[in-house]
């Protein structure tokens, strides 16, 4: 026997005592080995259960026990794990378990026992009927599986029966619960469910918790277990751990004797009304409202019993006749009370009988005829009350093998001999329809003789659900079996539960060799080690992931909680090795707990080989591209240099043409002056010079000097401007300059371009706009804009206007250049700054001018450039450059 909790806990001790009472009656005595999991005081974990499992195996070895008996949920879970791994087929009997687990336990046969369920909703309703002045119910419970199941039942029952308000105290410390109980009043009721661990981890027995609540509560306290019936408790409808132990003990005796029913039965729990008389007086509870079968503790003896010790004195005083009369009166009163209690009990029994949700029929033990039925029986089977008297078991059974008259009579006889029996049966209605039913039969000794009582519950829906579940499971198995991907799965104990054929093809290991074992590594790794799904079942600890997979894992973007990776497995493909892409995901139950894991393996060897080939091709292609890029960069550099030289040559030709006029004037005046000087000298030497000749020669000399000076100055100015522009553009030197002066210098050097055209340039540049930047690149930009306006913008136009505007905005200068030329089409505008893009390819355009402009503005001046244009209206360029240009290690224009 395995108990969930610890020795000395009254609830567990009572269950153990009930089991022992039944086993001690056997001859020879049965050896009962007892172990405790201690899960009230120790928080269980997978590691803890494994250590406990190892301890039990060390104590008892691999030999399977005749039967495993468990007390409460944790012990049952542990026993199922122990049986699945080491003792297959061993019967398991349980007590103290919620009936919500019935469906799951039916799938885990051989399993049987008694459920711990108390209908707390009905219990609370009866408490409210006993104490109708209650206005508020305060329910205390912890977060254990039993308490939460009872609270769920309570929710459903109380929602359908509004009355007193309900408040729940849970997941709190003991002190917090006591503080709230101290705030209650006499019109409240404390309904105490199991509370064995508070929010601070403090472990309490049922007795300790009850004593704490009664000490603090300013309202009556009701409980649900007999071990919690302590001084200060009003009472309640109590579940007995000892009675549950007795029921399991009787079933264990049947198993040991070899006459246990198959499948093992499930018994429902029962409760008994128990109340404390002093607390009833304290909280004004009417004794007449209690059930007739209720036990009242500390109830005072009646007057006659208190006088009994004094009967000798009374006999002396009043005589023997009075004594006899008094005794007769007492007997009459007792008889009347007994009759009243019997009538009340009969009424309660009849009410329960008539309103039971299950069909009930009572058979006479001798004749086997039905002597009593309830309303549900008529509804379920379709018979009228007057028709059931002569019904035989065969009339209520399906005409199918295994459900005939002999089988039905055998179950009835077994009930008469052995007591309670549980079975599933194919029942038949009056109209011939057949349905699945769950039948519970027991025997009673009554005044009329022995009776056999059978309860029948329609479980057709449950059976259909089971069939659908099996069909779904089979379909799911087929899906996984036929997946083109290798799939295998494990349970929470790391046992392989599924291994599909593709897994066999991939690893060479057959499912029969690994299913049921923990050898997940077989065919994947050369020696034992955890697979990814093993690590997930153990909680996916970072240390384990790092140890076995390093940095090869990533979270799946599709499946929450799943991990995936890719690696080379040398042990696979007959030791030739292959690349595998793997993904593992945890499997969880409805409560979110991990119950296993599933992993897929995909052979990506061909993909990896293709990927490697592509990578090699990419590398080769990159080398070729780099070579071609270098060649293109060299060619482009030559083209850019040619463009620059061509622009500079055009500029030099224009300047030379412009210089030709002043220098030609100087040369013509100088020649004329030479002739005039020679003529005047001859006249002076010959002595024929007159005063008028001297005055005329002087005037001509002054005019010639002035003309020479003006033209020389003009040529010097042109040469100086050109020199400044040439130096700036050739050296990209950085200096402080006034923007207006640089723009004027550019206009001076490009004036020859406008000499024979009516085009006009207007400036709107403040005198105080100055920059610390590179004037040469800026001059190149403006020169390109001007030549583009002349060559492209004003093509086919008689007169054009160019406007250059500048303004300072914070630390930047915005320079706008616009013309009213023919404009640029929207399709061409987006390619404007691309290299080699020109609309005059083959007609003198290289497509590098604005590309050079873009690079000068972006890379040298550290600014930005944008263009907008409307066809037929004109084009505008906007430069935004910093006043303080960025520092370049070796700045040079493109």
């Amino acid at each position: 026997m395995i108990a969930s909790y610890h020795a000395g806990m009254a609830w567990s001790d009572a269950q153990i005592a009930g089991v022992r009472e039944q086993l001690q009656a056997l001859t020879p005595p049965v050896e009962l080995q007892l172990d405790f999991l201690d899960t009230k005081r120790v928080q269980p974990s997978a590691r803890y259960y494994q250590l406990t499992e190892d301890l039990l195996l060390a104590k008892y070895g691999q030999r399977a026990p005749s039967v495993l008996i468990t007390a409460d949920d944790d012990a049952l879970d542990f026993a199922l794990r122990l049986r699945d791994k080491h003792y297959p087929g061993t019967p398991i009997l349980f007590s103290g378990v919620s009936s919500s687990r019935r469906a799951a336990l039916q799938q885990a046969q051989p399993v049987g026992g008694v459920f711990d369920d108390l209908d707390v909703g009905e219990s609370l309703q009866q408490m409210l009927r006993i104490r109708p002045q209650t206005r508020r119910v305060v329910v205390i419970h912890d977060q254990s599986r039993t308490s939460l199941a009872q609270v769920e039942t309570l929710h459903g029952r109380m929602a359908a029966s509004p009355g007193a308000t309900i408040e729940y105290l849970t997941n709190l410390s003991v002190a917090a619960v006591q503080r709230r109980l101290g705030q209650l009043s006499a019109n409240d009721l404390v309904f105490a469910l199991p509370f064995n661990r508070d929010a601070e981890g403090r472990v309490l027995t049922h007795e300790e918790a009850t004593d704490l609540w009664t000490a603090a509560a300013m309202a009556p306290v009701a409980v649900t277990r007999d071990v919690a019936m302590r001084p200060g408790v009003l009472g309640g409808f109590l579940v007995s751990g000892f009675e549950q132990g007795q029921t399991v003990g009787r079933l264990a005796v049947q198993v040991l004797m070899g006459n246990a029913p198959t499948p093992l039965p499930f018994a429902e729990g029962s409760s008994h009304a128990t109340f404390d008389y002093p607390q009833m007086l304290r909280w004004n509870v009417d004794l007449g409202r209690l059930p007739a079968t209720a036990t009242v503790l500390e109830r005072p003896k009646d007057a006659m019993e208190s006088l009994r010790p004094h009967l000798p004195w009374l006999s002396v005083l009043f005589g023997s006749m009075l004594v006899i009369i008094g005794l007769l009166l007492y007997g009459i009163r007792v008889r009347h009370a007994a009759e009243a209690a019997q009538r009340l009990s009969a009424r309660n029994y009849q009410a329960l009988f008539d309103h039971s949700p299950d069909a009930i029929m009572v058979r006479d033990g001798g004749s086997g005829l039905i002597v009593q039925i309830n309303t549900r029986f008529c509804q379920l089977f379709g018979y009228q009350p007057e028709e059931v008297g002569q019904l035989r078991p065969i009339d209520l059974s399906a005409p199918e093998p295994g459900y005939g008259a002999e089988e039905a009579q055998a179950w009835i006889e077994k009930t008469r001999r052995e007591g309670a029996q549980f079975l599933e049966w194919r029942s038949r209605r009056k109209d011939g329809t057949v349905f699945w039913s769950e039948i519970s039969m027991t025997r009673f000794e009554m005044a009329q003789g022995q009776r056999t009582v059978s309860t029948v519950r329609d479980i057709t829906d449950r059976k259909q659900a089971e069939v659908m579940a099996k069909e779904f499971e089979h379909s799911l198995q087929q899906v996984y079996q036929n997946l083109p991907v290798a799939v295998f799965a494990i349970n929470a104990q790391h046992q392989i539960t599924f291994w599909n054929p593709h897994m066999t093809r991939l690893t060479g290991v057959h499912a029969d060799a690994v299913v049921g074992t923990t050898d997940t590594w077989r065919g994947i790794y050369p020696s034992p080690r955890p697979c990814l799904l093993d690590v997930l079942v153990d909680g996916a600890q970072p240390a384990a992931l790092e140890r076995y997979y390093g940095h090869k894992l990533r979270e799946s973007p599709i499946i929450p909680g799943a991990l995936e990776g890719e690696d080379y497995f040398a042990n696979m493909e007959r030791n030739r090795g292959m690349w595998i892409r793997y993904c593992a995901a945890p499997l969880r139950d409805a409560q979110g707990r991990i119950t296993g894991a599933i992993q897929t393996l995909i052979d990506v060897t061909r993909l990896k080989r293709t990927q490697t080939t592509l990578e090699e091709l990419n590398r080769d292609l990159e080398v070729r591209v780099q070579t071609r890029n270098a060649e293109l960069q060299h060619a482009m550099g030559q083209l850019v240099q040619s463009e620059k030289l061509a622009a500079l040559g055009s500029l030099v030709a224009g300047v030379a043409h412009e210089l030709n006029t002043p220098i030609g004037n100087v040369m013509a005046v100088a020649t004329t002056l030479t002739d005039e000087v020679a003529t005047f000298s001859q006249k002076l030497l010959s002595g024929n010079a007159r005063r008028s000749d001297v005055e005329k020669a002087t005037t001509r000399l002054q005019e010639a000097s002035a003309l020479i000076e003006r033209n020389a100055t003009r040529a010097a100015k042109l040469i100086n401007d050109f020199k400044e522009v040439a130096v700036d553009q050739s050296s990209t030197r950085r200096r402080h300059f006034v923007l207006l002066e640089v723009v004027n210098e550019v206009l001076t050097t490009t004036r020859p371009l406008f000499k024979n055209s009516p085009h006009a340039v207007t400036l709107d540049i403040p005198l105080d706009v100055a920059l610390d930047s590179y004037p040469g690149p800026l001059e190149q930009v403006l020169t390109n804009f001007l030549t583009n306006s002349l060559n492209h913008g004003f093509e086919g136009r008689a007169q054009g206007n160019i406007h250059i505007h500048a303004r300072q905005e914070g630390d930047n200068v915005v320079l706008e250049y616009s013309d009213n030329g023919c404009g640029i089409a929207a399709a061409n505008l987006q390619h404007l700054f691309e290299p080699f893009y020109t609309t005059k390819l083959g007609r003198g355009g290289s497509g590098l001018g604005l590309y050079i402009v873009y690079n000068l503005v972006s890379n040298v001046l550290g600014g930005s450039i944008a263009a907008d244009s409307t066809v037929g209206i004109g084009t505008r360029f906007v430069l935004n450059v910093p006043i303080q240009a960025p520092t370049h290690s070796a700045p040079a224009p493109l």
Side-chain angles (χ1 to χ4, degrees), residues 410 412-419 443:
I412 294 173
E413 293 298 325
K414 190 173 184 180
T415 303
R416 294 176 60 186
R417 293 193 314 269
E418 302 174 4
R443 66 186 180 193

Side-chain angles (χ1 to χ4, degrees), residues 173 223 313 401 465 489 518 522 570 577 607 612 625 693 703 792 801 829:
S173 66
V223 295
W313 298 95
T518 58
R522 292 275 300 276
L607 181 63
T612 302
V625 169
D693 292 332
E703 290 176 351
H792 300 280
N801 292 318
L829 193 63

Side-chain angles (χ1 to χ4, degrees), residues 85 121 125 268 309 510 556 567 671 700 727 744 748 775 811 856:
K85 293 178 66 175
Q125 291 283 359
E268 303 291 343
H510 290 277
S556 172
D567 204 352
T671 302
R700 298 288 294 273
V727 170
N744 281 324
T748 300
D811 295 332
L856 288 173

Side-chain angles (χ1 to χ4, degrees), residues 65-69 79 83 87-93 109-112 255 260 264:
S66 302
V67 62
L68 279 168
I69 304 175
R83 182 181 70 177
Y87 307 135
T90 299
I92 295 178
L93 306 180
Q109 285 287 340
V111 175
V255 172
L264 291 175

Side-chain angles (χ1 to χ4, degrees), residues 640-641 644 732 780 851-856 859-860 892-894:
V640 169
Q641 189 65 25
K644 287 173 60 179
T732 320
Q780 290 183 48
Y851 172 67
I852 294 173
V853 166
Y854 179 83
N855 281 280
L856 288 173
N859 299 331
V860 180
L894 292 176

Side-chain angles (χ1 to χ4, degrees), residues 39 42-52 78 81:
T39 58
V42 177
Q43 191 67 31
S45 64
R47 176 65 175 165
Y48 178 78
Y49 282 140
Q50 185 59 54
L51 292 173
T52 306
F78 183 77
R81 163 187 171 138

